[in-house]
């Protein structure tokens, strides 16, 4: 009995000890599995060379890291099995049979090193080599270093799968010459993808990491032959030395820089958001369109080199998603004329290209589509007078809202801004994503209506797309995969956007400002808006179909002015060609569907001149949008009061603000000059005018309006010198030049003088 108890006690002790050992081992394993390995997380999450693919899956760019380091990363399933097999054969035949270290390899290394009386084998497994990549050794490693590496290798095997360890190893191996990873080695040494490598080339690369300074094909392919053949014997692969040298020598191809400015922009965006670029990016970039725009811009720069146009840029986005489909910061990245500068994100004066936003704000704040605006000599402000001028120095009198926008008249635009207030428009532009305007409000005045502030081409393209997008502002994205409705906002009403589209596609409304410009006459629905700014330093074009928006800028990044004769028709032609490419040439015409009509408006017949309901005296009518909420808006529209009949003749009764302009035009007069006391009706004495930076100084003028006098002839004198004589039309066009000036008119014995200052 006692004997049996004694045996049982021994068995219990053995069982308890075994259980304790198992528990200790399990706890140790768990501790090793979950305890962090120094540098592992940062190593696994470090930035790699990003591969960029276009919308069709073509590789267009591989981004180098700092100081030119190239390290592409591929998941293990995308690395050909032959490459995996050869590298395992070369470095660690028992890789899938050990737990981070190999006793067999360790004993073999001792034997080889003892017989050779030097270190010929390190007994390092692939896992141990990876440990050294994660935490590089010091220059003088000790035996304790080796023991520590073995311990960490075992821990690494507990944490990661064999496939992941092999993946990390193959993607981070150093090949010398700032090349890391098998994929970068294949591309930089042989100009090939991993799938394209031959067996000989894989073998050559498999021995290179041992001693890159000796074995790299970039040094001499012959050096690696003997070492590679030891591996090849186990793979049943044979090749002569001569064939080896021929097949493993480096092969270089000239690499084209595809969309370099765009890649830099993506890189900067990720850095700004403190995010690493992914190893692979599938962009929405349309390489065909991008190449076409690049060629067109290069062609125009060469064609108009005499006009001092040296730089150009273009960007195109898909309206539905906000995805960039083309991006050219400059057509020649290597050009000595600031070719490396990205003109898409550089700031430019927008000129008239921003006017659609001002008119959209006007419609959102009570202006009506049938409203008439004054295009007459007019000044704005109080003590300091701002006098806008039209580009051609002409005044057209009362003009419909749609004509003012479509023909890009300056004075009506400033009139709108003066009424709405600069603050309201400035804040509206900020809501449209014009972040370039931040911090500029204190230096911004009424010239904002004419695009005097500097903004980027990308901001312009994004904002302009709201009209084709029913008033929705999309977040700019690099890939359609990133699209989310959460990244968009309604910035104007749907109907407002649709009305602006209707205005901008109205070719008849454009005639006053642009004549019958063929560039705007497309075979599909499209809207255009051009801009010329800062004494022709910047010429721009914005255009949209229902599906796409294209923005083009041309000019000089060094500030040199462009010769005026070029105008904004050149970038307009480029953007037109881009839209043609996207909608014609066998492509889907649904990319340019008709723009939708507003839901709460209906086109009704109005008097062409007054915008009111026409009467029998109105000689000309047009169709215009009238609010139709209740169906009787047109019925309640006031009848025209401008046209009336007198003695059987239709005449015009202009509102008071047009009287000066009408008298100067001699409208409805009998051809005789008005009599009465001689007066200078405009400008007021001691007025201060400011030159408009958005218009060349040489064409800036004011119109001095006079009336009265008993004689037919009125003479004028500028700063004491004879200027002009007038007979019927007492209006004198005077150039604006800086300084204080006097202007005197003389009619018979009467004379009047006005003093004004130009700053």
């Amino acid at each position: 009995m006692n004997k049996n108890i004694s045996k049982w006690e021994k068995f219990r002790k053995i069982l308890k000890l075994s259980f304790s050992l198992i528990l200790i081992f399990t706890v140790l394993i768990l501790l090793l599995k979950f305890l962090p390995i120094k540098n592992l997380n940062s190593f696994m999450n470090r930035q790699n060379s990003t591969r960029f693919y276009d919308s069709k899956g073509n590789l267009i760019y591989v981004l180098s890291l700092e100081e030119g380091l190239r390290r592409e990363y591929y998941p293990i399933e995308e690395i050909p099995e032959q490459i995996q097999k050869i590298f395992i054969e070369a470095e660690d035949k028992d890789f899938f049979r050990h737990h981070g270290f190999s006793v067999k390899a360790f004993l073999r290394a001792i034997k080889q090193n003892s017989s050779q009386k030097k270190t010929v084998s390190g007994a390092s497994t692939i896992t141990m080599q990876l440990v050294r990549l994660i935490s590089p050794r010091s220059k003088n490693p000790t035996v304790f270093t080796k023991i520590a590496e073995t311990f960490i290798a075992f821990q690494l095997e507990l944490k990661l799968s064999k496939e992941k360890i092999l993946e990390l190893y193959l993607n981070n191996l150093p090949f010398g010459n700032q090349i890391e990873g098998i994929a970068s080695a294949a591309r930089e040494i042989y100009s090939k993808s991993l799938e394209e490598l031959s067996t000989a080339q894989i073998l050559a690369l498999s021995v290179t990491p041992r001693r890159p300074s000796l074995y790299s094909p970039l040094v001499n392919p012959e050096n690696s032959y003997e070492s590679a053949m030891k591996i090849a014997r186990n793979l049943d692969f044979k090749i002569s030395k001569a064939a080896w040298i021929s097949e493993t020598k480096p092969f270089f191809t000239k690499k084209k820089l595809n969309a370099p400015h765009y890649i830099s922009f993506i890189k900067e965006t990720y850095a700004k958001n403190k995010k690493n670029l992914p190893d692979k990016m599938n962009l929405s970039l349309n390489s065909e369109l991008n190449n076409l725009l690049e060629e067109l811009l290069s062609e125009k720069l060469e064609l108009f080199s005499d006009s001092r146009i040296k730089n150009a840029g273009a960007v195109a986005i898909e309206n539905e998603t906000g995805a960039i489909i083309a991006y050219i910061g400059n057509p020649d990245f290597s050009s000595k004329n600031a070719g490396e500068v990205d003109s898409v994100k550089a700031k430019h004066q927008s000129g008239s290209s921003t006017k659609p936003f001002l008119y959209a704000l006007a419609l959102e704040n009570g202006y009506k589509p049938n409203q008439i605006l004054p295009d007459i000599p007019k000044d704005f402000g109080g003590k300091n007078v701002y006098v806008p001028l039209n580009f051609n120095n002409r005044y057209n009198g009362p003009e419909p809202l749609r004509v003012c926008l479509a023909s890009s008249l300056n004075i009506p635009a400033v009139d709108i801004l003066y009424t709405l207030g600069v603050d309201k428009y400035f804040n509206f532009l900020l809501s449209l994503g014009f972040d370039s305007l931040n911090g500029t409000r204190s230096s911004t005045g009424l010239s904002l209506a004419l695009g005097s502030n500097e903004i980027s081409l990308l901001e312009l393209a994004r904002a302009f797309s709201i009209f084709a997008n029913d008033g929705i502002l999309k977040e700019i994205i690099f890939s359609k995969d990133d699209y989310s409705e959460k990244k968009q906002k309604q910035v104007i009403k749907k109907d407002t956007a649709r009305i602006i589209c209707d205005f901008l596609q109205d070719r008849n409304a454009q005639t006053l400002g642009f004549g019958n410009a063929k560039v705007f006459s497309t075979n599909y629905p499209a809207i255009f808006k051009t801009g010329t700014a800062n004494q022709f330093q910047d010429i721009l074009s914005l255009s949209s179909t229902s599906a796409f928006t294209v923005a083009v800028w041309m000019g000089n990044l060094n500030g040199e002015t462009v010769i005026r004769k070029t105008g904004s028709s050149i970038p307009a032609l480029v953007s037109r060609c881009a839209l043609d490419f996207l909608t014609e040439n066998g492509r889907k015409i649904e990319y340019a569907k008709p723009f939708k009509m507003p839901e709460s408006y209906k086109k009704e017949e109005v008097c062409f001149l007054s915008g009111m309901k026409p009467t029998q005296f109105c000689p000309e009518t047009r169709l215009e949008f009238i609010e139709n909420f209740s169906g009787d808006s047109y019925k309640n529209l006031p009848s025209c009061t401008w046209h009336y009949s007198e003695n059987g003749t239709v005449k015009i009764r202009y509102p008071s603000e047009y009287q000066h302009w009408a008298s100067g035009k001699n409208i409805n007069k009998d051809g005789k000059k008005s009599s009465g006391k001689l007066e200078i009706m405009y400008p007021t004495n001691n007025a201060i005018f400011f030159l408009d930076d958005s218009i060349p100084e040489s064409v800036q003028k004011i119109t001095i309006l006079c009336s009265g006098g008993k004689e037919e002839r009125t003479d004028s004198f500028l700063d004491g010198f004879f200027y002009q004589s007038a007979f019927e039309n007492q209006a004198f066009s005077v150039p604006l030049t800086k300084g204080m000036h006097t202007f005197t008119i003389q009619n018979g014995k009467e004379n009047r003088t006005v003093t004004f200052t130009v700053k």
Side-chain angles (χ1 to χ4, degrees):
M1 187 73 176
N2 290 335
K3 201 171 185 179
N4 289 334
I5 292 174
S6 179
K7 287 182 180 180
W8 173 245
E9 287 295 330
K10 286 181 181 180
F11 177 74
R12 285 182 60 190
K13 287 181 180 180
I14 293 171
L15 189 64
K16 187 176 181 180
L17 179 62
S18 299
F19 179 78
S20 298
L21 290 174
I22 291 171
L23 181 62
I24 292 171
F25 182 76
T26 302
V27 171
L28 180 63
I29 293 297
L30 289 173
L31 282 173
L32 289 175
K33 183 177 178 66
F34 293 106
L35 281 175
I37 296 177
K38 184 181 178 182
N39 301 330
L40 178 60
N41 283 338
S42 59
F43 180 82
M44 293 178 68
N45 294 304
R46 62 180 178 166
Q47 182 70 66
N48 297 305
S49 293
T50 302
R51 299 185 306 281
F52 296 93
Y53 297 85
D54 68 8
S55 58
K56 292 186 176 180
N58 301 310
L59 181 66
I60 60 170
Y61 204 100
V62 179
L63 185 65
S64 297
L65 300 174
E66 297 300 324
E67 298 180 356
L69 177 66
R70 288 138 293 173
R71 181 179 59 241
E72 296 178 51
Y73 196 100
Y74 280 82
I76 192 66
E77 58 268 19
E78 294 182 26
I79 299 176
E81 289 187 12
Q82 186 184 29
I83 292 177
Q84 299 180 39
K85 183 178 180 181
I86 289 177
F87 272 79
I88 289 173
E89 183 67 31
E91 293 298 320
D92 189 357
K93 296 176 184 178
D94 298 321
F95 176 68
F96 285 104
R97 293 189 292 272
H98 62 63
H99 298 287
F101 59 93
S102 172
V103 175
K104 178 181 175 183
F106 181 72
L107 295 174
R108 183 176 63 247
I110 292 176
K111 181 179 179 181
Q112 290 177 347
N113 294 340
S114 298
S115 63
Q116 298 291 328
K117 296 184 178 180
K118 62 179 181 179
T119 302
V120 295
S121 177
S124 292
T125 63
I126 283 177
T127 312
M128 293 172 69
Q129 291 181 52
L130 179 59
V131 168
R132 290 202 292 272
L133 292 175
I134 296 170
S135 297
R137 283 178 172 180
S138 60
K139 288 185 178 180
N140 300 305
T142 64
V143 66
F144 297 106
T145 304
K146 190 79 172 181
I147 293 171
E149 289 173 354
T150 303
F151 181 79
I152 295 171
F154 176 69
Q155 187 182 3
L156 195 62
E157 294 264 351
L158 293 173
K159 283 180 169 291
L160 304 176
S161 67
K162 285 288 187 180
E163 288 74 16
K164 188 64 178 179
I165 289 171
L166 184 60
E167 176 183 301
L168 288 169
Y169 175 75
L170 292 174
N171 280 293
N172 289 279
L173 271 174
F175 288 84
N177 295 93
Q178 292 288 77
I179 301 170
E180 291 183 1
I182 182 63
S184 289
R187 198 176 311 281
E188 298 300 324
I189 297 175
Y190 294 120
S191 297
K192 288 184 175 183
S193 65
L194 292 175
E195 295 80 6
E196 296 171 323
L197 288 174
S198 69
T199 302
Q201 290 167 342
I202 298 171
L203 283 165
L205 294 176
S206 73
V207 299
T208 298
R210 297 177 182 178
R211 291 183 64 184
S213 60
L214 176 64
Y215 291 138
S216 172
L218 296 171
V219 177
N220 188 341
E222 183 179 354
N223 295 346
S224 60
Y225 180 70
E226 297 298 334
S227 295
M229 287 306 98
K230 292 178 182 178
I231 303 167
R233 280 195 290 269
N234 298 325
L235 302 172
D236 295 326
F237 176 77
K238 294 181 180 180
I239 187 173
S240 68
K241 191 169 187 179
W244 169 268
I245 294 172
S246 175
E247 190 167 339
T248 60
K249 66 182 179 182
F251 177 76
F252 304 105
T253 57
K254 189 175 181 180
K255 300 173 184 176
K256 181 190 174 185
L257 287 173
N258 290 306
H261 296 99
Y262 184 38
I263 302 303
S264 295
F265 172 65
I266 295 173
K267 180 182 176 183
E268 290 173 14
T269 301
Y270 270 77
K272 183 180 178 181
N273 295 326
K274 297 181 179 179
K275 292 169 60 179
N276 273 354
L277 282 163
D279 299 330
K280 175 183 179 182
M281 283 193 75
N282 295 311
L283 305 175
S284 297
L285 196 78
N286 184 320
S287 288
E288 287 183 272
L289 175 63
N290 210 70
N291 292 336
L292 172 66
L293 281 169
E294 195 173 89
E295 291 171 8
L296 285 170
L297 292 175
S298 295
E299 176 187 301
K300 299 305 178 189
L301 289 181
E302 184 176 353
L303 184 62
F304 292 97
S305 59
D306 291 343
S307 297
R308 295 199 296 264
I309 299 177
K310 297 178 180 177
N311 302 105
V315 62
I317 60 177
E318 183 182 64
N319 295 333
E320 184 180 2
T321 62
I324 291 175
I325 60 172
Y327 189 114
I328 298 95
N330 247 311
D332 184 2
F333 189 81
S334 60
S335 171
K336 62 181 180 181
N337 294 316
E340 293 186 14
V341 179
D342 184 352
S343 63
V344 172
K345 66 184 181 110
K347 296 179 183 180
H348 314 285
Q349 285 196 346
S350 61
S352 295
S353 65
T354 47
K355 284 179 183 173
F357 310 124
L358 178 60
Y359 280 78
L361 184 65
L363 291 171
E364 297 270 299
N365 284 272
Y367 280 70
K368 307 298 181 184
N370 63 314
Q371 193 157 337
I372 302 299
L373 296 178
D375 185 31
I376 58 177
K378 202 169 184 180
D379 56 36
F380 301 88
K383 180 180 177 182
N384 296 330
V385 181
Y386 176 65
V387 184
L389 296 167
N390 283 329
F391 188 79
N392 57 7
N393 201 36
R394 289 170 51 191
Y395 304 101
N396 303 285
E399 288 293 343
L401 196 73
R402 77 164 54 234
V403 172
C404 291
L405 173 58
S407 285
S408 199
L409 303 180
N410 284 345
I411 296 168
V414 178
D415 187 77
I416 291 174
L417 181 57
Y418 185 68
T419 302
L420 295 177
V422 176
D423 282 341
K424 179 172 284 192
Y425 182 46
F426 187 87
N427 291 330
F428 177 60
L429 290 176
L430 290 178
S431 74
L432 296 180
F434 289 104
D435 296 337
S436 297
L437 294 178
N438 281 318
T440 65
R441 176 61 189 94
S442 61
S443 59
T444 299
L446 289 171
S447 61
L448 182 63
L450 310 183
S452 61
N453 285 44
E454 294 186 333
I455 50 185
S456 77
L457 192 65
L458 183 59
E459 289 171 337
L460 270 171
R462 180 192 180 204
F464 194 70
S465 70
I466 67 172
F467 302 118
N469 273 336
D470 273 349
I472 297 174
L473 182 69
K474 306 281 185 174
E475 186 87 8
I476 289 297
I477 56 176
F478 306 128
S479 170
K480 293 180 187 179
D481 298 336
D482 299 330
Y483 174 68
S484 169
E485 289 190 359
K486 294 180 180 178
K487 297 179 180 180
Q488 63 185 41
K489 60 179 179 178
Q490 190 85 36
V491 290
I492 58 174
K493 296 173 185 174
K494 183 190 298 183
D495 279 358
T496 299
R498 294 180 179 185
I499 290 170
I500 294 295
C501 284
D502 193 76
F503 285 1
L504 291 177
Q505 69 175 337
D506 189 338
R507 303 299 171 238
N508 291 327
Q510 292 172 339
T511 304
L512 181 64
F514 302 100
N516 295 313
K518 292 182 179 180
V519 68
F520 301 141
S521 299
T522 58
N523 296 324
Y524 46 85
I527 60 174
F528 290 85
K529 190 69 194 78
T530 59
T532 305
N534 198 20
Q535 300 189 40
F536 306 91
Q537 176 185 331
D538 303 302
I539 50 177
L540 306 97
S541 170
L542 302 175
S543 59
S544 288
T545 61
S546 59
F548 304 105
T549 293
V550 180
V552 178
W553 169 87
M554 300 182 78
N556 289 303
L557 291 166
N558 64 3
E560 188 177 2
T561 58
V562 174
I563 295 177
R564 183 182 180 185
K565 67 180 182 181
T566 56
S568 54
S569 60
I570 310 170
L573 181 59
V574 173
S575 64
R576 159 71 188 272
C577 289
L579 293 183
D580 286 349
F581 172 86
L582 289 165
T583 58
E584 297 179 339
N585 304 325
R587 289 169 177 79
K588 297 180 180 179
I589 200 66
E590 59 259 32
Y591 286 163
K593 295 178 181 178
F595 294 106
K596 296 177 181 177
M597 289 292 102
E599 296 172 345
S600 301
Y601 290 78
K602 184 180 178 182
K603 277 193 174 181
E604 301 283 5
E605 191 176 25
V606 299
C607 171
F608 190 92
L609 185 63
S610 69
M612 299 176 177
K613 188 187 297 184
T615 68
Q616 70 270 30
F617 304 120
C618 297
E620 188 178 0
T621 63
R622 58 186 171 88
L623 293 175
E624 190 53 88
F625 290 116
I626 304 296
E627 285 180 289
N628 196 40
F629 291 109
S630 59
D632 59 359
S633 298
Y634 182 65
K635 181 180 178 182
N636 296 327
L637 187 70
S639 295
C640 179
T641 58
W642 291 33
H643 293 99
Y644 67 98
S645 178
E646 185 178 284
N647 300 323
T649 302
V650 173
K651 293 192 174 185
I652 305 172
R653 184 185 295 113
Y654 283 98
S656 58
E657 67 175 315
Y658 297 105
Q659 290 297 324
H660 291 327
W661 172 83
S663 64
K665 288 289 185 181
N666 198 29
I667 296 175
N668 288 336
K669 299 291 182 180
D670 56 9
K672 294 182 179 180
K673 182 177 69 65
S674 62
S675 60
K677 186 179 179 181
L678 184 68
E679 314 182 71
I680 296 178
M681 303 174 69
Y682 179 85
T684 58
N685 197 39
N686 296 321
I688 301 174
F689 300 102
F690 288 83
L691 289 169
D692 189 339
D693 288 338
S694 66
I695 298 176
E697 188 173 330
S698 61
V699 302
Q700 297 194 53
K701 300 177 181 180
I702 60 169
T703 299
I704 297 180
L705 299 174
C706 312
S707 67
K710 297 178 180 179
E711 304 294 332
E712 290 293 323
R713 172 173 168 169
T714 300
D715 294 327
S716 65
F717 301 84
L718 179 61
D719 296 331
F721 295 93
F722 176 77
Y723 186 65
Q724 280 180 352
S725 293
F727 293 88
E728 295 175 359
N729 184 355
Q730 289 177 287
F732 300 90
S733 183
V734 179
L736 285 176
T737 56
K738 291 182 180 179
M740 182 179 289
H741 303 281
T742 59
F743 191 84
T744 301
I745 57 172
Q746 183 174 327
N747 182 276
K749 294 181 179 180
E750 292 183 278
N751 62 73
R752 296 289 183 272
T753 299
V754 67
T755 299
F756 62 92
T757 302
V758 180
K759 294 185 178 181

